[in-house]
């Protein structure tokens, strides 16, 4: 699966295990030229690259996703991590892996918003 990790998610602690699982992971933290992107640009880039956006910034991305839906714009999926801290590496990894097992095809992710809450 093609994934896009938002800036606050660790490429090493979250991205690397997902890469070892066979996923194609792009992380903002790995790309200096992406540093400072604003949230609408992150959403646009994820959609253009046909990547599932993984973010803990649910507060900002929820309205962006609502705006996209109302405008009839499509995206490749989004995992909104509600209440997770960026250092909750193990929990985040379990949630993302679980979501990818539950929805194993890219077609299933089209316009899907997977929004788990931290236990």
């Amino acid at each position: 699966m093609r994934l896009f990790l938002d800036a606050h998610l660790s490429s090493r602690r979250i991205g690397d295990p997902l890469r070892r699982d066979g996923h194609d992971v792009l992380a903002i933290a790995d790309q200096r030229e992406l540093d400072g992107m604003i949230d609408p640009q992150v959403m646009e880039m994820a959609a253009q690259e046909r990547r599932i956006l993984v973010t803990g910034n649910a507060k900002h991305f929820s309205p962006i996703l609502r705006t996209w839906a109302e405008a009839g714009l499509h995206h490749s999926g989004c995992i909104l991590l509600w209440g997770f801290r960026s250092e909750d590496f193990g929990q985040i990894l379990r949630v993302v892996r679980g979501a990818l097992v539950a929805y194993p095809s890219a077609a299933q992710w089209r316009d899907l918003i997977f929004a788990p809450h931290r236990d």
Side-chain angles (χ1 to χ4, degrees):
M1 202 67 73
R2 294 171 54 83
L3 304 170
F4 190 32
L5 300 183
D6 200 2
H8 58 281
L9 296 176
S10 171
S11 178
R12 186 174 63 82
R13 301 289 300 269
I14 296 168
D16 286 350
L18 292 169
R19 289 180 189 103
R20 286 192 295 274
D21 291 347
H23 301 291
D24 178 347
V25 180
L26 175 65
I28 290 177
D30 290 340
Q31 309 289 324
R32 282 197 167 287
E33 66 275 9
L34 302 181
D35 191 34
M37 283 181 73
I38 61 173
D39 296 336
Q41 291 172 320
V42 171
M43 187 71 214
E44 181 68 33
M45 184 172 180
Q48 285 176 352
E49 296 224 355
R50 296 185 177 153
R51 293 180 181 275
I52 299 165
L53 176 63
V54 182
T55 182
N57 192 354
K59 179 181 175 183
H60 291 157
F61 278 94
S62 290
I64 292 169
L65 289 161
R66 186 173 31 260
T67 299
W68 276 53
E70 290 169 355
L73 299 173
H74 299 285
H75 57 84
S76 296
C78 185
I79 300 175
L80 291 176
L81 302 165
W82 285 97
F84 291 82
R85 296 181 317 248
S86 59
E87 63 270 9
D88 291 337
F89 306 119
Q91 286 183 330
I92 292 170
L93 199 50
R94 279 190 295 280
V95 165
V96 172
R97 283 175 167 157
L100 297 174
V101 168
Y103 302 96
S105 97
Q108 291 174 301
W109 280 96
R110 184 178 168 152
D111 299 326
L112 178 70
I113 301 168
F114 187 86
H117 291 266
R118 184 172 180 261
D119 295 332

